[in-house]
Amino acid sequence: MLLLIVQVAIKIIDKTQLDDANLKKVFREIEILKMLDHPNITKLYQVREQLCRVWWYCDVLSTVLILFRLLSVVPPLPPPAGRL
């Protein structure tokens, strides 16, 4: 038996605090995240829905990892121009 341990972030949304328009936006975001697979967008692993709450299980992106990804993609700025 193989045991895989993955660190995830859990986002809990209280549905009782949202009106119908915002609740539709939450579910639209969930559907979009399910379709996306990109290294710069957090990965949505699972969604659980209860009567009052929606639970999202997502990637954990640390500040260091985000900074590393930005530095590896964004080219360095050119040196400032000298004064005349």
Side-chain angles (χ1 to χ4, degrees):
M1 180 175 163
L2 178 65
L3 179 64
L4 180 63
I5 299 173
V6 178
Q7 189 176 19
V8 296
I10 301 173
K11 182 177 182 179
I12 304 169
I13 298 176
D14 188 354
K15 295 192 299 187
T16 62
Q17 300 295 315
L18 300 175
D19 59 6
D20 287 339
N22 284 321
L23 196 56
K24 284 181 183 178
K25 289 178 185 177
V26 167
F27 284 107
R28 186 176 77 205
E29 184 178 353
I30 289 171
E31 291 305 313
I32 291 170
L33 283 173
K34 284 180 180 178
M35 294 185 291
L36 296 176
D37 185 20
H38 191 276
N40 295 333
I41 299 174
T42 187
K43 178 74 177 156
L44 179 64
Y45 291 114
Q46 187 175 21
V47 177
R48 298 248 173 149
E49 186 176 358
Q50 294 178 330
L51 186 61
C52 306
R53 293 184 186 95
V54 179
W55 301 65
W56 304 24
Y57 298 87
C58 305
D59 268 340
V60 176
L61 293 178
S62 68
T63 306
V64 174
L65 181 59
I66 293 170
L67 181 61
F68 178 75
R69 285 185 182 174
L70 283 175
L71 291 176
S72 66
V73 174
V74 177
L77 294 173
R83 292 188 184 196
L84 293 178

